[in-house]
Amino acid sequence: MKSRKKSYTKIIIILVILLILGIIGFIYLNKDEEKSVVKVERTIPGYGYTLEENETEIYKSTFNKLETILDQEEIDNEEYAKCISELFIIDFYTLDNKLSKNDIGGVQFIYPSIKDNFVEKARSTFYKYLEVKEGRTQTLPIVSEITSVLAEKTLFKVKDTKENKEAYKVSISWEYEEELDYEKEAIIYVVEENNKLYIIEMD
């Protein structure tokens, strides 16, 4: 009996040790996660767009513009498409305010069905070498100005389907506070889904 009790005790001790090691391993693997939570300053009712406290001044002023556009009785979808394209560019390409490589900018403007792929791709490419904000030594891009934004109606062929959706093709260019050889122009395709506009592709 004593021998069996000793065996049970050993098993329990081993399980406790494994549990502790598992917790330590989890903490280690997630050491680059955000160490603080960024507060949401405002949300646009009915659309769910949020403005976080750590956004740049250009982002905040453009967000104010989006609020004005969406507050109209009749919404101008062309201006709406242009505005979310501007917000996306400012947020995605400004890395200086991001907490870690997992803090991907512009995700709230991405078409729902491609959001996960977008995040994974961003994390493994543009955001790949982004250090954790606490103790960071990198010089990182900050979008300072949208220099041009033009929109035209077009048809967008949804990948892996035969569906063509009405879309806005938005041509956009921008500048940074400091020249660090990052891209400065893009073509963005914006489509409507349930009375809300989303970015579905960027070239």
Side-chain angles (χ1 to χ4, degrees), residues 53-64:
E53 63 180 353
N54 66 335
E55 292 292 359
T56 60
E57 288 307 311
I58 184 176
Y59 186 93
K60 288 179 179 180
S61 63
T62 309
F63 190 88
N64 291 341

Side-chain angles (χ1 to χ4, degrees), residues 7-142:
S7 296
Y8 286 145
T9 304
K10 284 180 180 179
I11 290 170
I12 290 169
I13 291 170
I14 290 169
L15 288 173
V16 170
I17 291 170
L18 288 173
L19 179 62
I20 292 169
L21 289 174
I23 292 169
I24 292 170
F26 178 81
I27 292 170
Y28 175 78
L29 289 172
N30 289 276
K31 68 183 186 301
D32 67 340
E33 291 295 327
E34 296 81 351
K35 293 187 177 181
S36 60
V37 176
V38 178
K39 292 180 182 177
V40 172
E41 286 188 359
R42 293 203 311 279
T43 300
I44 299 180
Y47 293 89
Y49 297 124
T50 57
L51 175 64
E52 296 181 341
E53 63 180 353
N54 66 335
E55 292 292 359
T56 60
E57 288 307 311
I58 184 176
Y59 186 93
K60 288 179 179 180
S61 63
T62 309
F63 190 88
N64 291 341
K65 184 168 71 174
L66 178 63
E67 278 189 305
T68 301
I69 290 169
L70 297 179
D71 195 42
Q72 302 304 307
E73 192 170 322
E74 189 172 337
I75 294 171
D76 184 332
N77 274 348
E78 182 174 319
E79 290 302 313
Y80 180 10
K82 287 161 64 176
C83 196
I84 66 167
S85 297
E86 290 182 52
L87 286 164
F88 171 79
I89 291 298
I90 295 165
D91 200 16
F92 184 81
Y93 286 97
T94 296
L95 296 184
D96 186 70
N97 63 349
K98 301 303 184 289
L99 301 179
S100 77
K101 68 180 181 181
N102 297 313
D103 186 13
I104 311 297
V107 175
Q108 64 178 328
F109 305 109
I110 299 298
Y111 194 71
S113 65
I114 66 167
K115 195 174 287 187
D116 289 344
N117 286 339
F118 168 79
V119 168
E120 286 304 314
K121 187 175 180 181
R123 190 183 287 136
S124 63
T125 54
F126 191 64
Y127 282 69
K128 184 175 183 179
Y129 299 106
L130 183 61
E131 297 170 355
V132 177
K133 190 170 180 63
E134 187 176 319
R136 181 185 293 159
T137 58
Q138 295 168 301
T139 300
L140 296 168
I142 302 171

